[in-house]
Every structure is written in structure tokens, then in C-alpha cells.
Amino acid sequence: MRAPAHRRVALAGSVVGAVLVALDGTVLTVAQPALQRDLGASLPQVQWTSTGYLIAVASLLVFAGRLGDRYGHRRLFAYGMLGFAAASAGIGCAPGIGWVIGLRVVQGVCGALLQPATLGMLRAAYPPDELGMPIALRTSAIGVAAATGPLVGGVLTAHFGWRSVFFLGVLPAVAIALLVLLVRDPAPRAATRAGGLDAGGALLLGTALACLVAVLVVVPGSGWTAAAVLAAGGAIAATVVLVGHERRAPSPLLPPSVVGSRIVVAALGVLLAASAALSGSLFVATYFLQDVLGLDALDTALRMVPAAVCIVLAAPLSAVLTRRVGARVTTGAGMALMTLGVFAFGRLDTSATGLAVGVCAFAIGAGFGTVMVSATEVLVRRAGVADAGVAGGLQQTAMNVGPTLGVALSTTLLATGTGFVTSMATALTVLALATGAGAVACLLMPGRARDGVSAESRRSTPVPPAAAAPPPPTSRASRGPTAPPTPGR
């Protein structure tokens, strides 16, 4: 039986929105050298086209998710997509690097509006037991975008110039935004949490995340400068004040039902560790394959293709496994596989064959694809519909901060050894330890489902009156003192 129209539109919006954001980041990386030459920009200015976007999106994701919870995920998604498209078109027409940086920040704000909504729409449209496959399709699409982004960006930049990469997603973004606005849910949206939006909590959380991202971006290249130390202090101070503020707030930005759950904390930790390990490993692998083995950019990409392919293929398999054996086993197995792949890559040297590199890439990609779906499903499913945007915002925050942390950690550790191979072994061993710790955290996640409903779901679902045990039958004897049974009656 075909899914209702509102579900198909929610899934299409979730997939297209996530793909356009992922594609935008990958094609920009390829186009940056041409952009720098054409606009006469310095390297730090070009780096700010990525850093400005990252700071804007990371600092606003959770608050944007709360806005979606209050006013509707479809509306926030559509507005975010339209703004993202307008900013992309503006960058394609930008006369100077200052305009590009400013519009990239605008893109980050719009990306923060739409990214949590891609998960919030799915949570609102699908029953909890059917979330796995939509999330898997979304994950597979992101994997395809990440794998094909450099190729698409290279072709467009070579034939049509760097500006063409920003026009790539304008029409699809406008089309999917209008479609989401036109097709509405069949039932009116239920009322969500009462109270305000906790602007104070949003400001404190945004400040903490913005300072954290700034530290992770600046320190690996410039060291602990005065600005980096100030940003680190700001992140710590904002976090401390945020904790106290959230405890007193009548309607906190981070509701205790979400952040107070050990399952949610475990899922976020797993996603943070896995995304850090993936990005850190790919960063190290790129330099190893090109600077140590002497491969060109195309051969490097081909050697790492198994990672991207396995992310795409593992996502739907993970949805099936999670439903059959539970998130604990599925996520733990994915983290263990990823740990082995990262650790094994760190043992490679100048004699590494293409087969050895491919096997490591296979393990890393298959493990990440599995973890991405199972941990995300747990996180979104655990949150109620009223808090789905916050859960989506937390998931997207982990997926934005994790890669930045992984690359920063790898960059720092690569500078500690006497040779690249030795430094690579150190960096990837540390990343493997991080994924191993994430595998331990999987023990806190829900176990095997029974009859399609997990134990955690049963605990969180009230028993309807009709399902309650019937009272004992009433007899005449029960109306007075209990009489002893009469033999033969």
C-alpha cells in the first residue's frame, strides 16, 4: 500500500534538504582554489567561507529545532530552504570575497533552520516503529552526495567556473520548499510545549558552541593564541551559566525529558565519536595516500570509494537490523567495525596495497553507515513529537561538531611525530580509542525489540484502560466476610 501523500512529501523534503546541504559543503571544497584566484582573496579569507558557515549553523541548530517544535517543522524547513537558495544565488553573483563570507554566514543561519526540520518532519509524519527506513534513506542519500560532491564540483568548476557550483541547488531547493508548503498534514498539528522559547538558553548555548567551533578551527593552524584562549574561556563560562539557567528556566531550551535521558546522551556520544573518527580518518588518509604513497587526487578518491559505497549500502541494512536485534547490538557492532577499520588504517605504511586500503575503508564506511542510522533513530524516536526538533538539532550539532573535532585532533597529532607514518599511527590510534569508547556507550541503548516494540517504548507508553488487567469477578461472598470454600460446590 502506498504511503500517504504527506509522508512521501516529508520524506522527499528530508532527503532533498539533507542532500543539498551535504552537496554544498563538498562542492565548495573543490571550488575554493578557483574562488580564491578569481576574487584575489587570501587563504585565511577563503577559510572563513567555511568557518563562518560552520559557526553560524552549529550555534543555532538546537534553537532552530525548538522553533520547529513550536511553529511547525514544515514551515521552518521551507523558510530555511528558500533562504538557503537565495543565499546560494547571491554567492554566485558576489563581487568580492567579503560578500561571499557574509552570504555564507546567512547560508549557515538558513541551514540551521532546515537541518533539524529534516528529522522533525519524519518524526511527525511516521509512527515510531517505522522511522528506521526513512532515516536510512536519508543517510544513504547523504552518502551519495558526499561521494559525488567532489566530482560534481570539479566538473562544474572546470567547465563553468566556481560560481556555477552555488547555482546548482537553487531550483531544487525552491521546488521542494514550495512542495512542502503546499502539501499539509491530514490532521491538525497537536499543541506542543507551553511557555516561551527560552531565548536566554539559546543565546548561552549558541555562544558556547560558537566559541567551541572557533577553538577547534583556529588552534590546529595557529596554536593557542590569545584569541583561542579567550574563545575557550568563553565556551567554558557559557556552558557553566547555561547549566544553571536551564535548571531554573520554566520552559528550558533543553528539556530534561531529552537531555536527562541516558539513552539520548549515549546516542549523542556515539554520533559525536563516530563522525569525529570518520572525518579525522579521511583527513589523515588523504595526506597518506597523496604524500606518502604518491597518488594523485583521482587515485586517492578511488581508493576511498569503498567507504562512501558502504555508507550508502549499510544504511538500509542497519534499519532492518535495528528492528530485528535492537539498537544496542546494531550500534555496538557498527562502532566495533569502525574501530577496527580506523585502527587498521593506522598500521599501514609505505608498502600498503590498494587491497589493504580498500579493506580499511570498507570497515570504516560500513561501520559509520550502520551507526548513523541506528543511533539517529534511537535519538529521534526517544524524543516525543513535541521535542522532535530539539532532538534533531542535537543530532545535527553532534554531526557538525564531531567532524571539526576529528580534523582538529588529527591535525594536532600529525605534528607530534618524527615522520608522517608514525604520526598517522598515533592519530588514528587515538581516534580508534574514541570509537571504542563509543562502542561501550552503546550498552546504554535499547535492546532487542519484541513484537516490533522495544522495551524502552513499552516503558514510555501508557497502558490504555482497555489493555489493563480486568478486576476480579464480584460475587455475593465478596460483599461480606469471606467464607471458607464448601467442598463439592
Side-chain angles (χ1 to χ4, degrees):
M1 184 174 65
R2 297 180 64 186
H6 74 285
R7 289 188 184 177
R8 297 199 301 271
V9 171
L11 178 58
S14 180
V15 169
V16 173
V19 164
L20 288 179
V21 171
L23 197 61
D24 179 83
T26 53
V27 298
L28 174 63
T29 302
V30 177
Q32 279 179 334
L35 181 152
Q36 180 181 2
R37 291 190 300 268
D38 186 43
L39 298 181
S42 64
L43 183 59
Q45 287 176 320
V46 173
Q47 289 175 335
W48 268 103
T49 62
S50 297
T51 303
Y53 173 90
L54 182 60
I55 290 176
V57 71
S59 61
L60 293 172
L61 281 167
V62 178
F63 183 61
R66 173 52 82 211
L67 287 174
D69 290 333
R70 299 287 177 178
Y71 302 115
H73 298 296
R74 288 174 176 267
R75 185 183 304 175
L76 264 291
F77 172 83
Y79 294 163
M81 283 266 58
L82 293 174
F84 197 89
S88 297
I91 295 172
C93 301
I97 188 63
W99 282 94
V100 174
I101 295 173
L103 288 170
R104 281 288 288 169
V105 173
V106 174
Q107 262 193 334
V109 174
C110 297
L113 291 178
L114 72 92
Q115 288 187 53
T118 62
L119 291 172
M121 288 192 301
L122 294 181
R123 180 65 180 88
Y126 287 84
D129 290 338
E130 298 180 18
L131 277 172
M133 195 54 68
I135 291 175
L137 293 175
R138 176 181 178 274
T139 301
S140 294
I142 293 174
V144 172
T148 59
L151 177 61
V152 173
V155 171
L156 289 176
T157 302
H159 291 85
F160 305 102
W162 65 269
R163 297 178 186 274
S164 63
V165 303
F166 291 100
F167 291 115
L168 175 65
V170 172
L171 290 180
V174 172
I176 197 66
L178 295 178
L179 180 62
V180 167
L181 286 175
L182 290 173
V183 179
R184 299 184 178 275
D185 293 335
R189 186 171 179 271
T192 57
R193 297 172 57 89
L197 289 170
D198 190 13
L203 178 62
L204 289 169
L205 179 61
T207 300
L209 289 172
C211 291
L212 174 62
V213 170
V215 170
L216 294 177
V217 171
V218 171
V219 169
S222 305
W224 284 98
T225 62
V229 173
L230 183 62
I236 295 172
T239 301
V240 171
V241 177
L242 174 66
V243 172
H245 171 84
E246 291 296 281
R247 289 178 176 176
R248 297 188 302 270
S251 181
L253 175 69
L254 303 172
S257 61
V258 177
V259 298
S261 167
R262 65 178 186 176
I263 295 176
V264 169
V265 172
L268 287 173
V270 166
L271 289 170
L272 184 70
S275 59
L278 176 70
S279 295
S281 300
L282 293 179
F283 176 80
V284 173
T286 299
Y287 282 94
F288 171 74
L289 294 174
Q290 294 189 19
D291 294 350
V292 176
L293 298 188
L295 303 179
D296 59 21
L298 178 59
D299 287 335
T300 298
L302 291 176
R303 293 287 178 95
M304 298 305 294
V305 159
V309 172
C310 287
I311 290 175
V312 175
L313 297 180
L317 178 61
S318 176
V320 175
L321 290 176
T322 301
R323 190 172 181 86
R324 291 185 177 181
V325 302
R328 184 185 305 152
V329 174
T330 304
T331 311
M335 290 297 283
L337 183 59
M338 195 173 183
T339 300
L340 290 175
V342 173
F343 184 80
F345 205 109
R347 312 278 78 79
L348 299 180
D349 55 23
T350 54
S351 62
T353 63
L355 178 61
V357 173
V359 169
C360 294
F362 173 90
I364 294 172
F368 181 79
T370 301
V371 168
M372 177 71 172
V373 173
S374 56
T376 299
E377 181 187 2
V378 167
L379 179 61
V380 176
R381 180 175 178 171
R382 174 67 182 176
V385 175
D387 295 320
V390 170
L394 289 170
Q395 191 267 359
Q396 290 293 312
T397 299
M399 299 305 296
N400 277 272
V401 174
T404 309
L405 175 62
V407 173
L409 185 62
S410 299
T411 303
T412 302
L413 293 175
L414 285 177
T416 60
T418 56
F420 185 89
V421 173
T422 303
S423 300
M424 180 180 76
T426 302
L428 294 186
T429 299
V430 171
L431 291 176
L433 290 174
T435 55
V440 175
C442 294
L443 295 175
L444 299 176
M445 302 180 78
R448 185 175 68 86
R450 295 177 181 176
D451 299 326
V453 181
S454 68
E456 183 63 33
S457 297
R458 290 196 299 272
R459 286 195 295 269
S460 61
T461 304
V463 178
T474 302
S475 65
R476 286 190 300 268
S478 66
R479 298 172 187 170
T482 304
T486 301
R489 178 176 294 182

